[in-house]
Amino acid sequence: MRKTEELRAAVKNGELDEKLSYIYACGDDTKKYSDRLLSVMDGFNDVFGAADEISLYSAPGRTEIGGNHTDHQHGCVLAGSVNLDVIAAAAYNGENVVRIKSKGYDMDIIDLNDLEIDPAQYDKAIALIRGVLRRFKDMGYELKGFNAYTESNVLKGSGLSSSAAFEVLVGTMVNDLCAGGAVDAVEIAKIGQYAENVFYNKPSGLLDQMASSVGAVVAVDFKSTESPEINKVDFDLAKYGYSLCIIDSGADHADLTSEYASIPAEMKQVAAYFGKEVLREVDKEEFMSSIKDIREKLGNDRAVLRAYHFFNESERACRETEAVRNGDFDGFLRLIKESGRSSYMYLQNVYASSMPKEQAVSLTLALCDEILGDRGAYRVHGGGFAGTVQAFVPNDILGEFKSKIEAVLGEGMCHILSIRPVGGCVIAE
């Protein structure tokens, strides 16, 4: 940790600008990031009072580029961290309590002697914090009380995984403050998934946490979730004259947990037909030759279609990675469109079956189709059902694209993002 006033002066006089430029891939445009650091330090002081020493942390949102709903079946994905993040200022409090106050939300207070699962806190941030702390304790680390104040510009419900970013942020703080930085980025991702699955009671794969924790663009093979194969991929959209847009459809993610949960549940039903836990363990050709019998046994055509999506989508994520590595950007765009069609037709996560009249994501995809024509690519982004669309847009029509999208969906709904090269990190200590 650094003396608070010394760190504040360092932020103000530009000592951190070079580091911020690298973290956020923003060139010389670092002022808005240093201003956010000053803001989070001010927020800490307002809530907890001035601390003698303090540290600053960051964890980014993520964009899933390839591998829509493949991670929970131990498949392959291509994902990257983006230049939106959750940041925190934190300091030891000398107590056996962790207090985390996020801007705009009530404070969460966790007694370190009480780290049991509390069903009353399912779907609440405090459950994620408790789950992360419990995992570190179970790993043998001595927990220490601390106070933290956080601010986020990761769009909630955007498919950029604000919850995963928060989990990784908490994991990064606990790792630094209680484990001396001994836990690596992959393990922090797994700790975040554990907190979400067990304490938050939301089924999820490991993609979101992995992309946020590791950073940059990564190709991940989840054949072994204990030791996933992770390879960084050089992904420079500017080289090809393109930008990444995340479009907020305006749809609400609320009350859609059952829709999300149905995807891994139905895929696992098909895997169970073959006596397997997940679809990664099933041979595609055996699946294809057994479809008639699977339909009869399960009585669920959607489960069959979702399994079909998995087999092709996991392979497609690998092909997308190879296309990027080989400089075949046109091939990459074709694969993104294929992925979008598969998600719409087979995975069926573009709108909620319980609300068939609410199809904001479908409408957003139609707008992208009309504006881009045969240029660029677009697809449902993240978990689906509501939320966002991802589009790769040629820079020469980027302004027109943004204007036409926002003319329908509203101002500020089309976000132009960059890939950042750093995952969860200590900015200053």
Side-chain angles (χ1 to χ4, degrees):
M1 285 193 171
R2 291 180 67 173
K3 294 289 186 182
T4 300
E5 290 310 311
E6 177 188 305
L7 181 53
R8 183 183 296 278
V11 174
K12 284 184 174 179
N13 66 26
E15 284 182 37
L16 298 184
D17 283 0
E18 184 177 350
K19 188 170 187 177
L20 295 177
S21 176
Y22 175 67
I23 291 173
Y24 293 103
C26 62
D28 294 332
D29 186 21
T30 58
K31 186 177 187 305
K32 62 183 177 183
Y33 298 106
S34 58
D35 284 349
R36 285 183 73 220
L37 295 183
L38 293 172
S39 175
V40 82
M41 293 175 75
D42 288 340
F44 181 97
N45 288 351
D46 290 344
V47 173
F48 300 110
D52 290 337
E53 295 181 322
I54 204 164
S55 295
L56 300 174
Y57 305 89
S58 164
R62 72 96 177 105
T63 182
E64 168 206 284
I65 300 168
N68 194 210
H69 279 281
T70 58
D71 57 329
H72 49 69
Q73 298 301 300
H74 297 200
C76 298
V77 301
L78 181 65
S81 56
V82 297
N83 59 336
L84 299 176
D85 64 343
V86 192
I87 58 174
Y92 293 116
N93 59 28
E95 304 173 57
N96 206 39
V97 173
V98 168
R99 301 183 187 90
I100 298 182
K101 173 72 169 72
S102 296
K103 184 177 181 179
Y105 297 89
D106 293 336
M107 186 184 300
D108 292 315
I109 303 173
I110 296 95
D111 184 335
L112 295 179
N113 291 317
D114 179 16
L115 298 179
E116 299 303 313
I117 298 169
D118 183 352
Q121 295 178 347
Y122 286 164
D123 293 326
K124 294 180 173 60
I126 191 170
L128 298 175
I129 302 166
R130 179 174 275 112
V132 170
L133 290 165
R134 175 58 183 266
R135 196 62 163 175
F136 272 92
K137 182 178 181 179
D138 289 347
M139 292 168 66
Y141 294 103
E142 182 182 353
L143 299 180
K144 301 174 184 177
F146 63 89
N147 298 330
Y149 181 84
T150 84
E151 292 187 7
S152 176
N153 61 9
V154 181
L155 313 167
K156 191 173 182 181
S158 66
L160 297 172
S161 295
S162 56
S163 60
F166 183 73
E167 294 156 19
V168 170
L169 179 76
V170 175
T172 301
M173 288 192 292
V174 176
N175 186 36
D176 181 54
L177 297 171
C178 305
V183 179
D184 65 23
V186 172
E187 192 61 38
I188 288 175
K190 291 193 287 187
I191 290 169
Q193 184 199 25
Y194 165 81
E196 185 162 319
N197 290 174
V198 179
F199 281 71
Y200 193 74
N201 197 38
K202 181 179 178 181
S204 70
L206 190 54
L207 164 62
D208 297 351
Q209 295 85 357
M210 191 69 75
S212 177
S213 188
V214 174
V217 171
V218 289
V220 187
D221 185 339
F222 287 110
K223 184 176 183 179
S224 167
T225 55
E226 286 302 308
S227 301
E229 182 181 333
I230 305 166
N231 293 291
K232 292 203 172 185
V233 180
D234 184 15
F235 190 74
D236 185 1
L237 284 173
K239 181 171 68 175
Y240 299 102
Y242 273 75
S243 290
L244 168 65
C245 292
I246 299 296
I247 306 160
D248 187 347
S249 70
D252 189 357
H253 270 275
D255 301 321
L256 291 176
T257 297
S258 63
E259 295 277 2
Y260 297 126
S262 71
I263 294 179
E266 290 183 359
M267 288 183 177
K268 287 181 178 181
Q269 285 175 10
V270 176
Y273 169 88
F274 296 95
K276 306 296 184 182
E277 289 288 326
V278 292
L279 287 174
R280 177 61 178 265
E281 301 170 349
V282 177
D283 178 74
K284 180 185 176 183
E285 295 306 316
E286 188 178 358
F287 162 77
M288 294 300 297
S289 65
S290 304
I291 287 178
K292 182 176 184 296
D293 192 50
I294 298 171
R295 292 182 70 201
E296 292 173 355
K297 290 286 177 62
L298 297 186
N300 186 345
D301 285 342
R302 189 175 68 174
V304 175
L305 290 168
R306 285 174 163 174
Y308 179 70
H309 165 84
F310 166 80
F311 289 115
N312 291 330
E313 182 73 355
S314 185
E315 178 189 346
R316 190 160 33 237
C318 298
R319 290 164 59 203
E320 288 166 352
T321 300
E322 288 307 306
V324 171
R325 285 178 171 153
N326 294 333
D328 180 11
F329 195 70
D330 288 340
F332 167 78
L333 293 176
R334 284 194 299 272
L335 290 164
I336 292 294
K337 282 189 171 181
E338 284 182 19
S339 173
R341 284 194 295 271
S342 183
S343 291
Y344 207 145
M345 295 169 62
Y346 309 129
L347 184 62
Q348 299 180 33
N349 69 330
V350 173
Y351 63 90
S353 59
S354 58
M355 297 179 286
K357 291 185 178 181
E358 298 181 22
Q359 298 202 27
V361 173
S362 305
L363 176 62
T364 304
L365 291 168
L367 293 172
C368 291
D369 189 23
E370 180 66 22
I371 299 166
L372 290 175
D374 60 359
R375 303 188 69 191
Y378 49 91
R379 62 191 281 274
V380 64
H381 183 242
F385 299 110
T388 56
V389 166
Q390 177 190 75
F392 295 91
V393 182
N395 287 335
D396 63 324
I397 61 169
L398 183 59
E400 175 191 358
F401 178 84
K402 180 176 170 66
S403 295
K404 287 183 175 180
I405 289 288
E406 293 185 346
V408 177
L409 300 180
E411 186 176 352
M413 301 298 266
C414 180
H415 305 273
I416 303 169
L417 303 181
S418 298
I419 300 293
R420 92 176 207 176
V422 180
C425 66
V426 182
I427 295 179
E429 61 178 348

